[in-house]
Amino acid sequence: MKIALDAMSGDFAPVSTVKGAVEALNEIENLEIILVGKESIIEEELKKYKYDTKRIEIKNANEIIEMTDDPVKAVREKKDSSMNVCIDLVKDKMAQASVSCGNTGALLASSQLKLKRIKGVLRPAIAVLFPNKKDQGTLFLDLGANSDSKPEFLNQFATMGSKYMEIFSGKKNPKVALLNIGEEETKGNELTRETHNLLKQNKDINFHGNIESTKIMDGEVDVVVTDGYTGNVLLKTSEGIGKFIFHIVKESIMESWISKVGALLMKGAMKKVKKKIDASEYGGAIFLGLSELSLKAHGNSDSRAIKNALKVASKFIELNFIEELRKTMEVE
């Protein structure tokens, strides 16, 4: 399998992207990677590592889409950007998936423009596995692809999310819930009430009803659906709360020698907690509904996050994910 990696995008690129690529090769036997970006810079980074040169190639791209760039304008004007070239490689069947931790809006625009949607899909959704108390995670979508959504979009997100969990996580008849401010059917705004009615009638899903944000990580449901604006706010709030908690814990530990001793005794447990809630452990977010694989890794991804994003992308390829989703979503 071959994956195109945007080597120049992200806060720590190309150091993190190149290192993450090499680490991924060490863990995934049949993986080949195309590092896309400024060739001379990538070559210098690769000199730091020992790796199978037959499994890494470089595709030169002279431009970079910055986080501050206007997404649509950047995609149109920076045709030779590392991000655009990655998507072109997938479009031209030179790679089976693309991974980038660059500008989300630009990546979505480029992916939609070049890769197109699966026939019958109204809008793509950004889908991410959230950690939960019980198993490998709860799928949450949409996390920002569509700030303004319609009930029919969310209804389709539910179908795609349910299929995702069946294919990727092996869940049979996964439970689907709608994010709302209360569990009662009458709760919420016009969008959630109309969506609730559609989900009740959707024969392709196992609809569990409304769910409040405090219960997303309980693991009682497998898929949680919302509009992209709400989902993105919840995602970033969750990340902020996680960082705040660890900051407070660290400050408290440093207050006395007793706390420091206690922290040493708790070191193993704290590592497990950090790993469980660390976004870098969960790889990339997929643009669900596109006809090819395009994954978005976090902008501040370190090498471990890049490695895990490549592992997730490789699993999608191995599972023939797009073709399986296409069987459910394509309509005549």
Side-chain angles (χ1 to χ4, degrees), residues 183-315:
E183 296 182 359
E184 301 86 352
E185 288 189 31
T186 55
K187 288 281 187 172
N189 55 22
E190 184 177 351
L191 174 63
T192 55
R193 290 195 298 271
E194 289 186 17
T195 300
H196 191 283
N197 289 333
L198 288 178
L199 295 178
K200 282 174 61 179
Q201 300 170 42
N202 189 337
K203 296 180 181 179
D204 294 321
I205 65 171
N206 175 17
F207 185 46
H208 192 69
N210 290 331
I211 190 171
E212 296 183 41
S213 56
T214 55
K215 297 182 179 179
I216 288 176
M217 297 180 185
D218 286 353
E220 296 299 327
V221 300
D222 305 300
V223 181
V224 177
V225 177
T226 189
D227 63 278
Y229 182 88
T230 304
N232 194 263
V233 170
L234 180 61
L235 173 67
K236 290 175 179 176
T237 301
S238 301
E239 290 176 350
I241 290 172
K243 291 177 183 178
F244 175 70
I245 290 172
F246 271 96
H247 172 74
I248 294 299
V249 170
K250 188 175 180 180
E251 277 194 340
S252 300
I253 288 170
M254 301 306 293
E255 286 178 354
S256 70
W257 68 268
I258 295 177
S259 298
K260 292 176 183 178
V261 172
L264 285 173
L265 296 173
M266 291 284 291
K267 190 175 180 180
M270 291 303 293
K271 277 187 177 180
K272 288 182 180 180
V273 171
K274 189 175 187 299
K275 185 175 182 179
K276 183 78 172 177
I277 67 173
D278 189 351
S280 66
E281 292 290 335
Y282 292 85
I286 185 175
F287 292 142
L288 195 59
L290 296 182
S291 63
E292 304 288 347
L293 288 169
S294 177
L295 278 75
K296 169 69 172 71
H298 205 291
N300 66 359
S301 292
D302 58 13
S303 62
R304 181 178 57 177
I306 296 296
K307 177 193 70 176
N308 286 331
L310 290 166
K311 289 175 74 173
V312 169
S314 65
K315 184 174 179 180

Side-chain angles (χ1 to χ4, degrees), residues 21-280:
V22 174
E23 291 174 350
L25 290 180
N26 292 333
E27 295 189 20
I28 308 169
E29 271 188 33
N30 59 339
L31 176 64
E32 295 178 29
I33 297 173
I34 306 173
L35 290 171
V36 182
K38 296 182 179 180
E39 188 171 8
S40 59
I41 296 175
I42 294 172
E43 286 176 344
E44 281 300 311
E45 282 299 316
L46 282 171
K47 288 178 182 178
K48 299 176 183 178
Y49 309 102
K50 291 182 179 180
Y51 61 93
D52 185 348
T53 56
K54 295 178 181 179
R55 297 171 63 196
I56 283 187
E57 63 179 282
I58 301 172
K59 176 69 174 176
N60 189 60
N62 292 311
E63 296 176 299
I64 301 171
I65 294 179
E66 306 290 350
M67 292 294 189
T68 53
D69 284 345
D70 175 84
V72 176
K73 185 178 179 182
V75 168
R76 288 175 177 168
E77 295 182 356
K78 294 185 175 181
K79 297 185 185 299
D80 193 36
S81 65
S82 53
M83 182 185 292
N84 265 330
V85 173
C86 271
I87 300 301
D88 284 334
L89 287 169
V90 177
K91 175 188 174 184
D92 296 336
K93 308 298 183 185
M94 303 296 290
Q96 294 159 282
S98 168
V99 173
S100 174
C101 46
N103 184 312
T104 304
L107 183 59
L108 179 62
S110 181
S111 299
Q112 283 204 85
L113 178 66
K114 299 171 185 291
L115 305 181
K116 309 299 183 183
R117 299 190 297 270
I118 291 173
K119 187 178 179 181
V121 172
L122 301 172
R123 292 289 189 279
I126 298 176
V128 173
L129 275 172
F130 265 46
N132 66 34
K133 296 177 182 178
K134 293 190 174 182
D135 51 28
Q136 65 265 52
T138 299
L139 187 70
F140 195 51
L141 70 167
D142 174 26
L143 292 180
N146 307 273
S147 294
D148 297 306
S149 289
K150 298 179 180 179
E152 53 266 36
F153 298 171
L154 270 65
N155 185 42
Q156 202 169 66
F157 296 164
T159 301
M160 290 195 293
S162 179
K163 192 65 179 177
Y164 176 114
M165 292 303 283
E166 286 181 14
I167 303 168
F168 193 81
S169 299
K171 288 284 184 73
K172 294 182 179 179
N173 202 28
K175 293 180 180 178
V176 179
L178 174 67
L179 184 65
N180 209 330
I181 58 173
E183 296 182 359
E184 301 86 352
E185 288 189 31
T186 55
K187 288 281 187 172
N189 55 22
E190 184 177 351
L191 174 63
T192 55
R193 290 195 298 271
E194 289 186 17
T195 300
H196 191 283
N197 289 333
L198 288 178
L199 295 178
K200 282 174 61 179
Q201 300 170 42
N202 189 337
K203 296 180 181 179
D204 294 321
I205 65 171
N206 175 17
F207 185 46
H208 192 69
N210 290 331
I211 190 171
E212 296 183 41
S213 56
T214 55
K215 297 182 179 179
I216 288 176
M217 297 180 185
D218 286 353
E220 296 299 327
V221 300
D222 305 300
V223 181
V224 177
V225 177
T226 189
D227 63 278
Y229 182 88
T230 304
N232 194 263
V233 170
L234 180 61
L235 173 67
K236 290 175 179 176
T237 301
S238 301
E239 290 176 350
I241 290 172
K243 291 177 183 178
F244 175 70
I245 290 172
F246 271 96
H247 172 74
I248 294 299
V249 170
K250 188 175 180 180
E251 277 194 340
S252 300
I253 288 170
M254 301 306 293
E255 286 178 354
S256 70
W257 68 268
I258 295 177
S259 298
K260 292 176 183 178
V261 172
L264 285 173
L265 296 173
M266 291 284 291
K267 190 175 180 180
M270 291 303 293
K271 277 187 177 180
K272 288 182 180 180
V273 171
K274 189 175 187 299
K275 185 175 182 179
K276 183 78 172 177
I277 67 173
D278 189 351
S280 66

